[in-house]
Amino acid sequence: MPLKACRDCRALSNGSICPNCKSSNLSDDWSGLLIVLDPEASKIAAMMNIKKSGRYAIKVR
Ligand SMILES: [Zn+2]
């Protein structure tokens, strides 16, 4: 099953609900995979306002 990205927080999901914010507003049209292991140490995570570790899409359409 292809991964989908949440339009609200950009977390990637392999189900129909975002594991991060529980939104069902998911898109299969996304690009750029960002894996955040330690959001407090990651400048990219801070820039993208990511507060939890996990897999994220850089762009979601
Ligand atoms: Zn989400």
Side-chain angles (χ1 to χ4, degrees):
M1 190 170 182
L3 283 171
K4 293 188 174 187
C6 177
R7 286 194 180 93
D8 295 332
C9 70
R10 291 192 294 260
L12 291 175
S13 165
N14 45 22
S16 54
I17 287 180
C18 173
N20 190 40
C21 70
K22 313 295 180 206
S23 165
S24 57
N25 188 12
L26 306 181
S27 167
D28 51 16
D29 190 5
W30 57 273
S31 62
L33 175 63
L34 174 68
I35 296 174
V36 177
L37 299 175
D38 185 353
E40 293 186 2
S42 167
K43 287 191 175 143
I44 301 169
M47 253 167 53
M48 289 173 61
N49 205 24
I50 290 169
K51 305 235 167 22
K52 283 194 212 171
S53 61
R55 293 176 300 175
Y56 294 85
I58 293 174
K59 261 191 189 173
V60 182
R61 284 174 208 96

